[in-house]
Amino acid sequence: MERLEYFFLKRYLKAPKRNLFRFSFVFMVLGIMLSVGILSAGLHLFQGYESTLKRLLLDSFAHIGISSSTGSLLSEEQTALILALATEKDDVVSCVPMLNFQLMAQSGDKIRAAGLKAYPEDNYQSYAPYVIAGKPNIRESEVIVGHYLLQELGLALGDSINLNYPRLDQITPLGIPNAQFNYRIAGVYRSGYYENDRSIVISSIADARELMMNTGGYSKIEIHLQDPEQAALRSRDLVSVLGYDYVAIPWNYYAESLLRLVAMEKWLIFIVFSFLVLIAGINVISTVSTIIIDQKTEIAVLKTLGANTRSIRRMLIFRVGLVGILAVLAGQVFGALLSWLVEKQTFYQLKGDVYFIDTLGAQITLPNLAIIFLVASLLVFVCILIPLRQIERLQIIEIIRNKH
Amino acid sequence: MILSAKHLSKTYIDSDQTIKVLIDASLDVERGDLICITGKSGCGKSTMLHIMGLLDAPDSGELHIGGKVVHSNSAEAPAIRNRDLGFVFQFHYLIEDLSALENVALPMLIAGKSEAQAKARAKQLLAVLGLAERINRYPNQLSGGEQQRVSLARALANEPKLVLADEPTGNLDPAHSNEVWEMIRSLNRDLNQAFVVVTHDVEAAQKANKSFELIDGKLLRIDA
Ligand SMILES: Nc1ncnc2c1ncn2[C@@H]1O[C@H](COP(=O)(O)OP(=O)(O)OP(=O)(O)O)[C@@H](O)[C@H]1O
Ligand SMILES: [Mg+2]
């Protein structure tokens, strides 16, 4: 930086009121603040949506699920073998055999399809955080039921619920043998992942076996890892040791394409909202043009004294750029505030059946803040540069001649 | 020889007429010269001065500064204006946001001197011009004569070879006008500073060591 530019930059910073907080900047600053605010809020909310969805998907599906490749239940011996093998590595947080199958939940004349998950006693860590009422550690003849499933059946905590398991594989001339039992609702499950909240029923292994009319074995073994990103790799490793009688399915298998789609939508929103900043940039262009016209005498004098166009340009860039960057930062604060307000508001709830989750939460991350700052500053900067060509076109002699 | 203008001509083409402002005008400026140019209003004095100051280009003719041919639109023109030339105009053209001291420091900052250096020299110059008490005033807090002396100080900041002044006293009353002329003469006498001054003031012009009149586009020596 040359002395001249440095000298003026110092003056701008020393007397910001006189040089930076001027009326000619008001609309430029407002435009940038608003557009950057909306851009930020959009990105924070979408980021929140993405990470909530990811967390819920991770919690709702085991990181790795191991089952028999034939579709039959795993025997006690097979289960023991897998448990021993899977827990060899210490990045495994939990490894729980479980039963899951589809059944019908019924209360009075209301019937809904439901997915039963049964875990051995005291293995409630994986779902305990989402039991919003009642208790997670159920005993025999107690179940935990999804919040929306309860709503649809018109039931509440403490009521009793009927579960039917239609044995489609054992149809007889007398019809479908139908095991039906009655359970007490001991807990309400609500994760925010709509799909689960409207279908899940959790029971003990013993109750599930009674329903299925079988005596032993498990549908699959659910493994949770310290680092879920390792799931695909570890799945492959496990199958290569266990052999092809087994399949190990990592969570990404279900969730990856959905998460990719959401991430893509997030950046799409970002790009669309960036155009708002570009529109605000039109104000920047007109502000800079106004300054050049207002200060054409000063510019002509500086040129007469031997300042070259480049340093005059730089001085203007510093001055407007400084205001622009402050406006971008203010816009980011505004955006954080805006997303906080959206989070707190109660007028509008997400539709769970459309968006998978039913609560809107913002997440502000450092990389996103940096990206917003860089993109917005870059757009503002480009808009500052556009009108600077006028400086070259200023006719210095005309300006100097025309003052009386 | 500091500056030599050779066979300058300049024509303006207005909508219906062509105005020949300069026809084959030549002027040599040597060290210690105090040159005055007089002439009727609109005869082209400012144009002549602007061309000599690399602010305007002639249609034909050459300008030599320090022995080299120079052009107003060349890359080195700003540096020549900054280093070798000083300007004083009828209107002071001080920057309103800057104090007298800072205004005078400006050409030195443009030349790349440090702020401390520039301000120290600016202080000295303002003292020489009798403005030691006024260094922190802003242009609108100075009288017309003071404003012109500040712009004279600014013109002298980088010890230019030549100061070009376009009616520096044109806006001043006789008392203030005298004050500025005194300054110009003493700088010329004591520091051997070369000046080319455009003026209406025929009386003042007679005290110059060379005077010219611009008549019908021609620059004529009138004192010899
Ligand atoms: N851009 C231009 N287009 C057309 N004519 C111009 C232009 N600039 C100057 N002129 C004309 O050129 C002539 C000389 O102008 P100049 O300013 O050099 O005169 P001057 O001697 O300085 O006059 P004054 O004593 O009033 O300052 C004038 O007639 C003016 O109208
Ligand atoms: Mg003139």
Side-chain angles (χ1 to χ4, degrees):
Chain A
M1 197 189 322
E2 317 239 337
R3 305 276 191 193
L4 181 73
E5 289 98 302
Y6 180 66
F7 172 76
F8 275 95
L9 183 63
K10 230 168 59 182
R11 289 186 64 84
Y12 302 153
L13 293 174
K14 257 197 212 153
K17 233 180 176 162
R18 197 186 173 107
N19 295 297
L20 304 181
F21 306 144
R22 296 175 72 122
F23 184 72
S24 46
F25 287 123
V26 167
F27 292 103
M28 160 182 153
V29 169
L30 277 181
I32 295 176
M33 262 186 71
L34 274 176
S35 57
V36 172
I38 292 169
L39 172 67
S40 308
L43 192 60
H44 296 333
L45 288 167
F46 235 97
Q47 186 68 48
Y49 176 65
E50 186 188 0
S51 59
T52 309
L53 192 63
K54 183 167 182 179
R55 181 171 51 75
L56 288 174
L57 288 172
L58 274 178
D59 286 357
S60 307
F61 302 108
H63 297 168
I64 301 172
I66 301 178
S67 52
S68 155
S69 54
T70 61
S72 57
L73 295 182
L74 297 166
S75 69
E76 296 288 349
E77 298 82 61
Q78 288 174 316
T79 305
L81 172 77
I82 296 167
L83 284 180
L85 193 74
T87 48
E88 261 175 15
K89 289 208 174 161
D90 50 7
D91 64 337
V92 173
V93 176
S94 70
C95 188
V96 181
M98 56 91 72
L99 275 167
N100 73 324
F101 49 94
Q102 299 297 311
L103 43 63
M104 307 302 284
Q106 187 180 4
S107 165
D109 54 358
K110 292 186 189 120
I111 300 180
R112 291 287 182 276
L116 183 86
K117 291 185 170 192
Y119 295 95
E121 272 183 28
D122 299 322
N123 277 295
Y124 51 81
Q125 292 82 1
S126 66
Y127 61 83
Y130 299 122
V131 177
I132 55 162
K135 55 174 188 177
N137 54 337
I138 38 169
R139 299 292 172 228
E140 273 180 42
S141 78
E142 289 180 333
V143 289
I144 296 169
V145 184
H147 172 75
Y148 288 113
L149 183 57
L150 279 181
Q151 256 184 12
E152 287 178 21
L153 292 171
L155 292 171
L157 186 69
D159 292 347
S160 68
I161 185 170
N162 281 327
L163 299 179
N164 310 331
Y165 181 58
R167 297 296 311 252
L168 295 175
D169 55 334
Q170 295 181 7
I171 299 176
T172 68
L174 297 172
I176 304 168
N178 197 349
Q180 171 165 343
F181 295 91
N182 192 267
Y183 302 89
R184 196 180 76 81
I185 301 166
V188 179
Y189 177 95
R190 185 176 189 181
S191 64
Y193 182 50
Y194 185 75
E195 229 17 72
N196 259 7
D197 294 352
R198 62 169 297 210
S199 69
I200 197 168
V201 176
I202 301 172
S203 77
S204 70
I205 290 278
D207 284 341
R209 284 190 177 143
E210 192 177 25
L211 260 169
M212 285 179 89
M213 297 186 281
N214 87 347
T215 50
Y218 296 96
S219 315
K220 72 171 150 181
I221 291 171
E222 288 189 353
I223 299 174
H224 282 84
L225 301 172
Q226 265 159 15
D227 178 8
E229 302 301 333
Q230 296 296 318
L233 198 70
R234 297 279 274 120
S235 298
R236 235 173 296 138
D237 289 352
L238 283 168
V239 172
S240 72
V241 179
L242 287 168
Y244 291 94
D245 289 342
Y246 302 92
V247 284
I249 298 179
W251 65 277
N252 334 44
Y253 181 86
Y254 305 102
E256 189 107 303
S257 57
L258 178 62
L259 286 176
R260 277 224 194 97
L261 188 74
V262 169
M264 194 192 76
E265 281 172 4
K266 181 180 74 179
W267 293 117
L268 217 62
I269 287 278
F270 181 80
I271 291 167
V272 170
F273 284 1
S274 292
F275 278 95
L276 288 182
V277 181
L278 208 58
I279 293 169
I282 295 171
N283 272 336
V284 177
I285 296 176
S286 82
T287 301
V288 174
S289 299
T290 311
I291 292 177
I292 291 173
I293 293 164
D294 274 359
Q295 308 215 324
K296 63 176 193 288
T297 313
E298 277 89 341
I299 293 171
V301 170
L302 285 172
K303 277 193 172 181
T304 309
L305 296 179
N308 53 31
T309 310
R310 216 183 55 206
S311 41
I312 292 170
R313 253 207 333 238
R314 274 203 221 140
M315 280 156 56
L316 263 166
I317 292 173
F318 287 150
R319 184 167 170 196
V320 186
L322 223 65
V323 176
I325 283 175
L326 288 177
V328 168
L329 289 175
Q332 292 194 278
V333 173
F334 175 62
L337 204 74
L338 210 63
S339 40
W340 179 78
L341 281 176
V342 171
E343 209 177 296
K344 288 283 164 281
Q345 58 88 25
T346 50
F347 313 114
Y348 175 75
Q349 291 292 104
L350 275 191
K351 289 197 191 70
D353 48 351
V354 180
Y355 299 105
F356 305 102
I357 59 177
D358 55 7
T359 46
L360 206 52
Q363 192 189 24
I364 300 175
T365 67
L366 212 59
N368 282 352
L369 287 176
I371 288 169
I372 294 168
F373 180 77
L374 288 178
V375 169
S377 302
L378 189 79
L379 290 177
V380 169
F381 186 72
V382 169
C383 292
I384 293 174
L385 292 185
I386 291 169
L388 288 183
R389 264 173 299 168
Q390 292 171 16
I391 294 176
E392 266 129 295
R393 291 203 214 106
L394 284 181
Q395 296 289 323
I396 356 177
I397 13 170
E398 294 309 315
I399 296 164
I400 286 184
R401 217 187 255 282
N402 286 335
K403 198 117 181 188
H404 17 256
Chain B
M1 191 86 69
I2 296 169
L3 177 145
S4 168
K6 293 186 171 153
H7 315 295
L8 300 180
S9 61
K10 178 90 182 172
T11 308
Y12 286 113
I13 300 165
D14 239 1
S15 47
D16 50 346
Q17 54 178 2
T18 59
I19 310 167
K20 292 194 166 179
V21 179
L22 296 176
I23 303 164
D24 197 19
S26 296
L27 180 69
D28 290 335
V29 186
E30 281 170 89
R31 267 183 66 81
D33 271 352
L34 172 50
I35 297 175
C36 278
I37 300 176
T38 54
K40 279 188 285 190
S41 181
C43 69
K45 305 182 293 296
S46 296
T47 307
M48 176 81 194
L49 208 70
H50 291 156
I51 291 172
M52 288 199 289
L54 293 178
L55 294 172
D56 202 353
D59 295 337
S60 65
E62 277 181 353
L63 189 73
H64 297 244
I65 293 179
K68 279 200 297 184
V69 181
V70 289
H71 298 279
S72 67
N73 54 6
S74 70
E76 62 203 355
I80 294 172
R81 280 202 295 270
N82 178 250
R83 229 182 323 108
D84 298 334
L85 302 172
F87 292 91
V88 182
F89 298 99
Q90 179 172 355
F91 184 75
H92 61 72
Y93 285 126
L94 295 171
I95 290 179
E96 299 290 342
D97 276 352
L98 301 183
S99 68
L101 186 74
E102 291 165 330
N103 264 293
V104 177
L106 216 46
M108 297 182 263
L109 294 172
I110 293 171
K113 291 213 178 77
S114 77
E115 199 180 322
Q117 262 182 311
K119 283 189 169 166
R121 165 136 174 93
K123 215 176 207 168
Q124 264 180 351
L125 269 170
L126 285 165
V128 170
L129 291 167
L131 293 166
E133 315 281 282
R134 302 278 189 275
I135 56 170
N136 289 321
R137 297 249 183 124
Y138 285 87
N140 60 5
Q141 300 169 321
L142 297 169
S143 77
E146 287 168 342
Q147 287 169 345
Q148 280 308 54
R149 279 190 281 154
V150 174
S151 43
L152 194 52
R154 185 179 64 184
L156 295 167
N158 283 332
E159 301 179 327
K161 293 184 178 129
L162 173 63
V163 173
L164 301 167
D166 192 355
E167 300 185 37
T169 61
N171 275 344
L172 303 179
D173 57 44
H176 283 127
S177 172
N178 246 359
E179 160 188 312
V180 172
W181 271 114
E182 274 318 307
M183 231 49 257
I184 290 176
R185 266 194 290 272
S186 77
L187 287 164
N188 175 250
R189 191 173 354 99
D190 303 343
L191 302 174
N192 225 15
Q193 174 68 53
F195 282 91
V196 172
V197 185
V198 164
T199 181
H200 279 304
D201 192 340
V202 182
E203 198 182 320
Q206 278 161 2
K207 292 176 192 155
N209 66 358
K210 292 177 189 167
S211 34
F212 292 83
E213 188 172 353
L214 196 58
I215 305 171
D216 298 332
K218 299 206 169 67
L219 195 61
L220 305 173
R221 183 92 186 243
I222 54 171
D223 60 332

